[in-house]
Amino acid sequence: MVNLLSIADIKPKMRGWSAHVTVQEKMHIASSQKSPTRYQKFVFSDNQGSRVEGIMFNAAIEKMGSKLHTFKKYLISNADVKEIEEQYQTNGLTIQWVISAKTVVEELSEQGSCVLTNEFTPISFKDLASYADSKSQTVDIMAVVVDSMPVIPIKRDSQESFVQRFLIVNEEMVPTVLSLWNTFVENEGKLLTDHHNKHPVLICRRLKVVTYNGIALSTRNDSVIVVDPPVRDARSLKNWASRNEKELLALCRDKPYNNQSPKMFYGPRQKLTEIRDVLPTEKVSWVKCMFSFEHILQKYWYMACVKCRRLTSADYGCTYTCNHCNEKQSAQPRCRFDIDLTDHSDTITASIFGEQAETLLGFTASQAMHYFNRNEDLPLAKLHEELKNKMFIVQLKPGSTKNDGSYQRYTIVYYFEENAETTSAENQLHRGSNASTANESYLQITTDQAPSCVASPPDKEELPSRTRRSLLSSLDESEETTPKRQRKK
């Protein structure tokens, strides 16, 4: 006679039990960092909402792994029940069923209707920015695949990895890039590529939020991706995609992931840091500041590989083998210059690159190069005057330090001009706050409003930049470290 118990009633070292469970998650096979042991993890749930971790090792993976499929129901009997050591606990689970070749696993013929339990809470795409570049926080999402991009090999520390990116959306219509890495490319990536025109629905667990052309998503080793799951909410999203086919085709055609977009980047409520509190240990920081670079003598461009954008000594338009991406590419000018960012607390110098730099400057990299080659200054007097009356919201990331460690480099990942409504909201927030001396403040941002100039410069003298660089050591620098060149006058 089967002793059928709920997951919650099955305790460590217990024998003679059975349980009806649904496979909620099936992770990819992984290897231990300190031993050759291979393992594969699962998450099981029952109809009472209880959950438990399942795990297989080595030979058991080949014998038993193929029997278990996500969202199918099984009878499992007499797996070894153990407590999970605290350092190995994930998903809030403390009990583990170790499934071996002798464990009884039988698929149940009556599958019934499979509905996600309350543990799965898809996050709103508009809230993704709050989790950007967090080392400890992950997100769960449900989305429709709109477009697929080719697989790209990437070499890091002599090891080759593979990444494939997909454009995904949900009913919010906030287009977002999802990057699949390595094993996910070989499995889910191939399936999505073959069927992306049918707009498959994804349920993704434990994705990390990264800053790639705005806000993007990326897999981790413990992420789980389920394609077209037999779940009520997923089917509703699939029907929504069918009703909005024209809009999804337009997204596929316009490829919004090629350009940085405020809609993909800045969340409705972001933490702002005073410049004096910006730390190189923080992966990203948001600041509110003024821009100034009138006093910095620089050339506003550098010659770069057209693919990887790394500095090269190749002549303009020359095809050469890049020493960084190891491919034959063309040498083209790329816009880059330094800006002093100033708030009421301090000043910091950061570099801005590419299209964002061209937009702020009002000149393309090619135009800046031609002015430089003619030994003429760019006509920037009007821009410098306008910047004196503008405030910007800026996201910074730390870069590499100079060789002698004398200063910390920063790069402007993204910026936009602060608008009137933003300033008003912030003033109200400060008036209503009792913590007026805190180092960090919160600013309510309305992302669908066009930016406009409303702010005034700080009522204090310009602070000296703690990372100000002279022309002799900073003219021709890229995001890493590059030699400088002085203009002739």
Side-chain angles (χ1 to χ4, degrees), residues 335 354 357-368 371 378-380 383:
C335 195
E358 291 181 340
T359 300
L360 179 63
L361 193 64
F363 293 91
T364 66
S366 295
Q367 290 172 326
Y371 270 91
L378 284 173
L380 299 175
L383 173 62

Side-chain angles (χ1 to χ4, degrees), residues 341-370:
L341 314 181
T342 302
D343 67 5
H344 69 279
S345 68
D346 202 352
T347 297
I348 197 170
T349 303
S351 301
I352 187 169
F353 294 83
E355 291 184 6
Q356 289 197 108
E358 291 181 340
T359 300
L360 179 63
L361 193 64
F363 293 91
T364 66
S366 295
Q367 290 172 326
M369 179 184 69
H370 292 317

Side-chain angles (χ1 to χ4, degrees), residues 102-343:
K102 62 183 181 181
T103 304
V104 177
V105 177
E106 296 181 6
E107 184 175 345
L108 297 176
S109 57
E110 295 183 5
Q111 293 294 328
S113 175
C114 183
V115 180
L116 285 175
T117 60
N118 292 334
E119 282 79 8
F120 178 82
T121 306
I123 192 172
S124 167
F125 278 24
K126 293 179 181 178
D127 293 334
L128 290 175
S130 301
Y131 299 86
D133 294 311
S134 171
K135 294 181 179 179
S136 58
Q137 293 179 303
T138 60
V139 298
D140 301 335
I141 62 106
M142 184 160 57
V144 173
V145 176
V146 176
D147 195 10
S148 65
M149 288 154 261
V151 178
I152 300 174
I154 295 177
K155 277 192 174 181
R156 290 180 176 175
D157 300 326
S158 301
Q159 294 184 344
E160 189 170 54
S161 297
F162 296 90
V163 62
Q164 185 173 16
R165 297 184 173 95
F166 296 85
L167 184 66
I168 60 174
V169 296
N170 60 11
E171 296 97 328
E172 298 170 277
M173 287 299 287
V174 179
T176 304
V177 171
L178 169 64
S179 297
L180 306 189
W181 289 87
N182 299 328
T183 306
F184 291 95
V185 174
E186 300 169 9
N187 295 278
E188 291 85 355
K190 186 177 186 305
L191 181 61
L192 295 177
T193 301
D194 294 341
H195 296 90
H196 80 268
N197 290 330
K198 298 179 180 179
H199 301 316
V201 174
L202 303 180
I203 285 181
C204 304
R205 304 294 305 268
R206 291 180 297 280
L207 297 176
K208 61 182 178 181
V209 183
V210 297
T211 50
Y212 170 80
N213 276 2
I215 286 296
L217 297 165
S218 179
T219 55
R220 310 188 330 164
N221 290 338
D222 63 344
S223 297
V224 171
I225 297 178
V226 184
V227 181
D228 281 332
V231 177
R232 186 182 303 119
D233 290 344
R235 289 170 179 169
S236 297
L237 186 58
K238 188 92 167 180
N239 293 334
W240 170 84
S242 298
R243 295 193 304 271
N244 293 273
E245 179 72 19
K246 290 184 178 179
E247 288 81 358
L248 298 185
L249 287 174
L251 283 177
C252 186
R253 181 188 64 244
D254 296 341
K255 301 188 183 303
Y257 46 81
N258 285 335
N259 296 300
Q260 290 172 320
S261 167
K263 205 170 186 180
M264 296 170 66
F265 202 93
Y266 196 78
R269 191 172 179 85
Q270 280 292 342
K271 182 173 67 177
L272 293 175
T273 302
E274 292 182 346
I275 286 178
R276 66 185 171 192
D277 297 319
V278 172
L279 299 173
T281 54
E282 293 293 331
K283 203 165 185 181
V284 291
S285 301
W286 287 91
V287 299
K288 187 180 73 169
C289 60
M290 297 182 66
F291 284 176
S292 174
F293 57 93
E294 184 176 9
H295 54 287
I296 303 176
L297 182 59
Q298 49 195 331
K299 58 189 273 189
Y300 301 103
W301 64 276
Y302 68 98
M303 196 64 69
C305 167
V306 73
K307 179 181 179 181
C308 70
R309 300 172 177 174
R310 300 293 291 273
L311 181 77
T312 179
S313 296
D315 294 328
Y316 173 45
C318 174
T319 299
Y320 71 105
T321 301
C322 177
N323 294 326
H324 300 284
C325 62
N326 296 317
E327 295 185 14
K328 282 193 173 294
Q329 298 293 343
S330 173
Q332 297 291 329
R334 186 175 187 231
C335 195
R336 176 254 184 233
F337 58 97
D338 289 345
I339 305 174
D340 269 3
L341 314 181
T342 302
D343 67 5

Side-chain angles (χ1 to χ4, degrees), residues 40-81:
Q40 186 172 22
K41 288 186 177 182
F42 302 80
V43 175
F44 303 131
S45 66
D46 61 18
N47 56 12
Q48 296 182 17
S50 297
R51 300 162 70 236
V52 68
E53 179 179 283
I55 191 167
M56 299 177 186
F57 294 100
N58 298 327
I61 297 173
E62 279 67 38
K63 288 184 177 293
M64 308 295 291
S66 60
K67 290 186 176 183
L68 296 172
H69 302 280
T70 310
F71 293 114
K72 293 210 168 189
K73 295 184 178 180
Y74 298 86
L75 171 73
I76 297 180
S77 301
N78 294 327
D80 291 333
V81 185

Side-chain angles (χ1 to χ4, degrees), residues 297-299 301-302 311 336 338 351 402 407 409 469-487:
L297 182 59
Q298 49 195 331
K299 58 189 273 189
W301 64 276
Y302 68 98
L311 181 77
R336 176 254 184 233
D338 289 345
S351 301
K402 192 175 178 181
Y407 66 83
R409 298 184 52 79
R469 298 181 290 273
S470 68
L471 176 64
L472 292 176
S473 65
S474 70
L475 249 188
D476 215 2
E477 212 161 349
S478 68
E479 288 181 278
E480 301 299 328
T481 55
T482 57
K484 301 304 181 183
R485 170 183 164 192
Q486 186 175 11
R487 279 192 53 188

